[in-house]
Amino acid sequence: MEVPTAVPTTEPTEPAKEGPANPTKVSTVPTTVPMESTTEPMEHRTVPTAPTPVSTVPTEQPTPIEYIRSPRAETYLTQDGTREWIPYCVEDKKPREGMVFKTLEKAIEFYKEYAVICGFDVRSATVYKNSKGIIQKYYLCSREGILESEGNYDEKGKRRRKRNSKRVGCKARIIWNLINEDGEYKVTKFFEPHNHCLASPTSMPYLRSSRKMTMVHKNFVNNNTRMNIGPTKSFRLFKENVGSYDNVGATMKDFMNFHRDLKEHIKGDDAKMLIENFIRKRDVFNGFYFDYALDEHDHVSHLFWADATSRKNYSLFGEMISFDCTYDSNTYSMVLAPFTGVDHHKSCITFGVGLLSKEDAQSFEWLFRTFLNAMGNCEPRYLITDQDPAMKVAINEVFVNTRHRLCLWHIMKKVPEKVGPELKQDEDFLKLLNECVWDMEQESEEFEATWNSLMVQYNLVENGWFQHMFSIREHWIPFYFRDLR
């Protein structure tokens, strides 16, 4: 059977018997129609009479033109020259004037389902009420109206954030009216045409009405949050589980919004939830230890915890520990202070972790005493820290038999800013300094001679920082720790 590839677009000399309301030109079907190689005839359908355009009201209704129905929305030109898109939808899913629904909720759900099928979003609009409740309800296309510009600055002089508007003055809408005391609603107005393109089949899953954070999504984000996995990575992991982004049923922004709402929901109770979680762990695992302290506002200011594995590792490899508090948490501005060491495989292991709101001597003293209580009051032989004066005061107060040493990495990291812009780029100087510091086989006299020669050679004799570091050399030069091996 020969299939027409286009519909004439010339104006008829006489009014057609059937057709859309007030068409002056019709270009409803693509110029080519894809066909499958089959002997069955292609289905023809008749276009229902479209709603009357807002511009004019005809005296006679023209007869619709018979054409091949396309799965995409049909486009018409009204008498005033504007284009209109009529969504394609099966008849039992399309609203009609006169339809009656038992409840307003069912009516709204029916229209939302129709919008998802056709490829557009809807939003709630005008509602009229009286003593009986809602007597009239409007639902519109989300692109109805025109968003007026409010200017670049608000009334306080603050610059407004630029927002892109998708509103184009679409007239598609539906109106329900209450018809009896049983709560039934009837469709009194249904305007079907849109003045904008509708979503394509590939973009329909990303419409707001098609996106929904189900309990599956929410549980997935919540469980990942407990494992410190953010919403972006959660979205990508969920995509891998369902096969593609089209099957997710939500967007990355939806995942991020739910993650934000989840954090807002637990705001103010997060510390309480953490303490309750630690209490449950202690009840289940006898080796789990934790302690905390509150400030004057009943906020958690000090917190320490160590599990059974960490405490056992300390009993085996706790002769030398490193205490580093250079990490800050992002949300609460608390200092993360882990106690770490090295096992017989030369791998780093954690003995315990602390959180502090302040880096003062009192906070460090509380943390060190709590750490010793967790480890059975067994002091380490060596404790390596950075050059924090408050930390040094706390160590002298708590540890009696522990030898305090300074972290060489922190010290050598400060060298470039202490020598000036010229020497910090001198590779020979940095190489000689590293050889002087890291030589484990030298004796005290050899180190002092090499150090003094280096200071004279590079004019650093009067440098106050190098003078101070030389005076405390026994606390950070590695060969002074040879007795530990």
Side-chain angles (χ1 to χ4, degrees):
M1 184 184 79
E2 183 177 356
V3 181
T5 60
V7 177
T9 58
T10 57
E11 298 182 3
T13 55
E14 297 180 359
K17 296 181 180 180
E18 293 181 330
N22 301 326
T24 56
K25 294 184 180 180
V26 180
S27 56
T28 63
V29 182
T31 55
T32 59
V33 178
M35 290 188 59
E36 299 180 358
S37 57
T38 177
T39 57
E40 296 181 1
M42 179 171 287
E43 182 183 0
H44 288 63
R45 297 184 182 182
T46 304
V47 182
T49 304
T52 303
V54 179
S55 57
T56 58
V57 179
T59 57
E60 296 182 2
Q61 293 290 341
T63 304
I65 301 176
E66 185 176 357
Y67 67 101
I68 299 174
R69 167 71 75 174
S70 168
R72 303 178 64 183
E74 292 95 29
T75 308
Y76 300 106
L77 289 178
T78 61
Q79 285 185 349
D80 58 358
T82 59
R83 300 179 68 182
E84 289 183 347
W85 281 260
I86 304 295
Y88 169 77
C89 183
V90 293
E91 293 299 326
D92 58 342
K93 295 293 183 179
K94 182 187 297 187
R96 299 183 306 275
E97 293 186 5
M99 292 183 67
V100 178
F101 297 90
K102 292 184 178 180
T103 62
L104 181 60
E105 290 75 15
K106 291 184 178 180
I108 295 175
E109 189 65 28
F110 184 84
Y111 189 63
K112 286 183 177 179
E113 183 180 354
Y114 161 76
V116 171
I117 296 173
C118 298
F120 67 96
D121 279 326
V122 297
R123 59 184 175 89
S124 177
T126 308
V127 58
Y128 292 98
K129 299 180 179 180
N130 62 7
S131 58
K132 299 180 181 180
I134 299 176
I135 59 173
Q136 190 177 64
K137 178 64 180 175
Y138 284 65
Y139 248 79
L140 314 175
C141 173
S142 63
R143 306 187 71 176
E144 184 272 345
I146 301 295
L147 186 64
E148 298 181 358
S149 176
E150 298 178 347
N152 296 329
Y153 299 90
D154 58 13
E155 59 276 3
K156 297 182 180 180
K158 185 177 180 181
R159 189 173 184 85
R160 299 182 188 273
R161 180 172 60 90
K162 293 184 178 180
R163 296 184 299 169
N164 295 327
S165 174
K166 295 183 179 180
R167 297 192 182 185
V168 292
C170 182
K171 300 295 184 181
R173 66 188 59 201
I174 189 171
I175 304 175
W176 299 281
N177 280 74
L178 181 66
I179 58 175
N180 54 42
E181 296 181 354
D182 295 333
E184 294 183 338
Y185 287 82
K186 182 175 69 173
V187 179
T188 57
K189 178 67 176 179
F190 174 57
F191 192 77
E192 187 178 9
H194 298 256
N195 67 344
H196 56 87
C197 295
L198 303 179
S200 62
T202 57
S203 59
M204 281 185 181
Y206 303 101
L207 291 174
R208 184 182 61 185
S209 55
S210 302
R211 306 189 325 254
K212 184 178 181 181
M213 288 291 291
T214 63
M215 289 304 301
V216 176
H217 296 108
K218 295 178 180 179
N219 288 334
F220 188 79
V221 175
N222 186 31
N223 293 334
N224 285 347
T225 302
R226 294 180 178 179
M227 296 182 290
N228 202 26
I229 299 177
T232 301
K233 187 172 291 186
S234 298
F235 178 76
R236 294 170 181 169
L237 291 174
F238 197 91
K239 184 267 296 184
E240 295 296 331
N241 292 336
V242 298
S244 68
Y245 290 113
D246 295 341
N247 299 331
V248 174
T251 63
M252 184 182 297
K253 192 66 176 178
D254 296 329
F255 274 59
M256 296 175 67
N257 290 340
F258 176 74
H259 184 260
R260 175 204 61 199
D261 296 339
L262 182 63
K263 292 193 297 183
E264 185 67 23
H265 176 69
I266 65 176
K267 185 178 181 181
D269 295 329
D270 44 7
K272 180 181 178 181
M273 294 170 60
L274 177 62
I275 299 302
E276 291 176 351
N277 183 33
F278 281 169
I279 293 175
R280 287 193 297 268
K281 282 189 175 182
R282 186 177 59 187
D283 294 339
V284 176
F285 306 104
N286 294 329
F288 184 81
Y289 179 93
F290 86 98
D291 197 2
Y292 66 97
L294 305 177
D295 59 12
E296 62 275 8
H297 303 292
D298 289 336
H299 296 163
V300 175
S301 58
H302 307 139
L303 178 64
F304 172 82
W305 71 95
D307 58 14
T309 303
S310 299
R311 299 171 73 183
K312 183 178 180 180
N313 287 336
Y314 180 79
S315 65
L316 299 174
F317 313 106
E319 290 188 346
M320 183 182 70
I321 64 174
S322 172
F323 178 72
D324 190 2
C325 57
T326 57
Y327 310 99
D328 293 336
S329 60
N330 296 332
T331 305
Y332 306 99
S333 299
M334 297 186 73
V335 180
L336 179 67
F339 295 85
T340 58
V342 179
D343 62 7
H344 54 288
H345 295 291
K346 295 184 179 181
S347 299
C348 291
I349 52 177
T350 302
F351 301 135
V353 181
L355 282 173
L356 300 175
S357 60
K358 297 179 181 179
E359 294 185 78
D360 54 8
Q362 183 179 1
S363 299
F364 288 129
E365 183 177 347
W366 179 93
L367 183 60
F368 292 149
R369 293 190 185 279
T370 306
F371 174 78
L372 288 181
N373 291 335
M375 305 306 169
N377 292 318
C378 181
E379 295 187 13
R381 290 183 59 187
Y382 288 87
L383 176 61
I384 300 177
T385 67
D386 57 13
Q387 292 179 275
D388 192 322
M391 195 181 301
K392 183 178 179 180
V393 173
I395 291 173
N396 294 333
E397 289 289 333
V398 177
F399 297 100
V400 179
N401 302 317
T402 301
R403 297 174 63 180
H404 181 210
R405 294 295 179 260
L406 301 178
C407 178
L408 181 58
W409 180 83
H410 285 94
I411 294 175
M412 297 303 293
K413 189 178 180 181
K414 297 178 182 178
V415 170
E417 64 184 57
K418 301 297 182 180
V419 298
E422 296 182 0
L423 278 183
K424 73 177 182 181
Q425 298 178 357
D426 192 332
E427 296 181 1
D428 294 335
F429 165 73
L430 297 176
K431 181 180 179 181
L432 292 174
L433 182 62
N434 279 294
E435 291 177 353
C436 174
V437 169
W438 286 101
D439 189 357
M440 296 288 293
E441 304 301 329
Q442 63 184 338
E443 298 298 333
S444 178
E445 295 79 6
E446 296 178 13
F447 167 74
E448 292 176 6
T450 305
W451 178 276
N452 291 329
S453 174
L454 195 61
M455 296 297 105
V456 173
Q457 181 180 352
Y458 290 96
N459 300 321
L460 296 174
V461 177
E462 302 298 330
N463 189 295
W465 184 79
F466 281 94
Q467 291 178 357
H468 173 69
M469 297 311 301
F470 181 75
S471 65
I472 60 172
R473 57 190 178 276
E474 295 182 357
H475 293 277
W476 64 281
I477 298 298
F479 82 84
Y480 287 102
F481 308 153
R482 285 184 299 187
D483 58 332
L484 182 62
R485 295 185 297 174

